[in-house]
């Protein structure tokens, strides 16, 4: 991991998402000051971090020395001002309320070094509105992680209307340095990228069950023993690129019409109702006898193991001379 | 792997899908007779199988003795009648044409032992039409694999109007015995389960690019470093079950409305056009400098490695007494 360009970081808000950011930053070697206006939540966040370090040690993923070093990089701050003191990057993970976040942004902006950047963990709100009226709106940017952010690297990055493009560039650079995988949005849409794609898949999954085509277990199996085996290391475009001898162009030229016909056949009127949710609940009960807690521990182990598999065998690049189509600067331009 | 209930198997059609079935059956210990009316295609299928065995040996996944045993279980047949001689299960992977398949089904039906079953690799067609007028229509069933079937275990199973339910049960049992992961459909829908779910995701992926929200690489990254890390071992319902403290019921009760709002925000009018396909092509060129062939080899290695990770750490079931909701026979009933 590269040495991060921001050494001093503040984590504001220590709920389910905020607390995981402590681990992300501490792991990357940053000094982290943590604050939550609710002292119980702050204490719970620090306890979660302590326990996560313990788990990592017990599973042999880090040594005692490393756990100690990470723990010593992190401080529970006594106030917002204390947390922001010297911070070069702030990760805000407060409740999803425009009012709460906007008020906090005013406070943070007033206390924070003028050169520092603030990333928001908001999963759905528009930075243009969140930073509205904040004098330093130019240094506020959406940096939405996936739960849990210390295990799943994607972070959705999106400027508000007033965000400085340099702030975007620095945020992307920093996120990469600390081992996250930033994806850039060019404009706001409901649900951002990730939740939209999840919603599209969930709609079809729910519809297949609701319309009696397949049981919950069959739908899940078709992902986890089928499509999902590729999606763990290739997105839909990467899959297309390997599904025809001559890559994605050939694939979509050949199957574009079949896709469009299928799109027209998908039901977009699907809705939840209590009976449907109960049907899903009974099926997920049957799918595993393990407790929810054990399922989550298994999930976290599996994600770590799959990331290790990916890291151990990255797709080797051919030497540049063998590239069929060298990257063209012009083609990178947005339309 | 359990000893399969059908020892003698015929593979009819040795295109990209059919040839992989040879490996699936030979690996499971079946005797396999292979036939393709085109001698070149038959020879190419056998060559593919030979090379795949060689690759498995070179990667240390099987020993020389095992490769030899698999090779000796497989025979290229001289005629359709020769291939079907003694077969208890037939996997048909002919071109996706109702006329071709229906004619072949008549021929197979006339030559085949009356107790034998025929599974069709059709990816899109309705068995009711494919087996129309075939005297033994009761023993024909859709068994649609995912490409490549020797690496990705899911097989979609769907009866035609005349298919005997016992044929369905025997096919499911056999597919499980040979290491595949059958998913049962209760009725025909365009694209079956798997391609519908892929289409739903691809539509949103394409729309995000076409509408300028995100670049191809960002969309792919949000799957492979985000959602896809979970989908390799959990379907969307399994994910929901771990995304709320009290499981899927709580998750969908809490977020059902948010999903519905997102569903309404998804564009369902997306269409391909040559410029869009070229934009995707240029981006997939940039995403990796490796040749298509190297990308496919990497894909196959990754799938194998991820399946090994899953097999090494299956979700442990709590002892039955700790199950919160024991499975109820009544709740399994279809509505």
């Amino acid at each position: 991991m590269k040495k991060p360009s921001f050494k001093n970081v503040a984590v504001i808000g220590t709920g389910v998402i905020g607390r995981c950011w402590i681990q992300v930053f501490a792991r990357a070697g940053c000094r982290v000051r943590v604050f939550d206006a609710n002292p119980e939540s702050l204490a719970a966040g620090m306890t979660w971090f302590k326990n996560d370090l313990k788990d990592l040690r017990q599973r042999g993923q880090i040594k005692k020395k490393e756990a100690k070093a990470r723990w010593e990089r992190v401080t529970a701050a006594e106030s917002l001002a204390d947390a922001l003191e010297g911070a070069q990057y702030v990760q805000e993970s407060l409740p999803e309320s425009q009012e709460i976040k906007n008020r906090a942004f005013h406070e943070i902006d007033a206390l924070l070094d003028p050169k520092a950047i603030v990333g928001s963990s908001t999963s759905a709100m528009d930075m243009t509105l969140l930073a509205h009226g904040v004098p330093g709106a130019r240094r506020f940017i959406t940096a939405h992680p996936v739960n849990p952010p210390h295990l799943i690297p994607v972070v959705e990055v999106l400027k508000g209307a007033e965000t400085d493009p340099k702030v975007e560039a620095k945020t992307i650079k920093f996120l990469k340095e600390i081992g996250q995988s930033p994806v850039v949005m060019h404009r706001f849409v409901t649900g951002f990228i990730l939740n939209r794609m999840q919603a599209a898949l969930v709609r079809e999954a729910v519809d297949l069950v609701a319309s009696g085509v397949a049981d919950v277990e069959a739908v899940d199996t078709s992902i986890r023993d089928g499509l999902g085996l590729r999606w763990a290391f290739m997105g839909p475009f990467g899959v297309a690129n390997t599904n025809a001898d001559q890559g994605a162009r050939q694939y979509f030229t050949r199957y574009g019409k079949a896709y469009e016909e299928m799109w027209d056949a998908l039901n977009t009127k699907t809705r939840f109702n209590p009976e449907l949710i109960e049907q899903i609940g009974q099926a997920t009960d049957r799918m595993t006898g393990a407790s929810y807690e054990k399922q989550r521990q298994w999930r976290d182990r599996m994600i770590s193991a799959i990331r290790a598999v990916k890291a151990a065998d990255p797709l080797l690049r051919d030497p540049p001379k063998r590239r069929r189509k060298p990257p063209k600067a012009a083609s990178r331009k947005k339309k």
Side-chain angles (χ1 to χ4, degrees), chain A residues 153 223-224 226-236 239 302-303 306-307 309-311:
Chain A
I223 296 297
R224 69 166 182 261
L227 297 165
L229 287 172
R230 290 184 292 209
W231 287 337
F233 56 95
M234 283 177 161
V239 169
M302 291 301 290
I303 292 171
I306 290 172
R307 288 188 66 186
V309 160
K310 290 169 65 173

Side-chain angles (χ1 to χ4, degrees), chain A residues 117-130:
Chain A
I117 288 172
V118 183
S120 172
S121 298
T122 182
S123 64
M125 285 184 290
D126 188 346
M127 183 49 71
T128 303
L129 303 175
L130 294 182

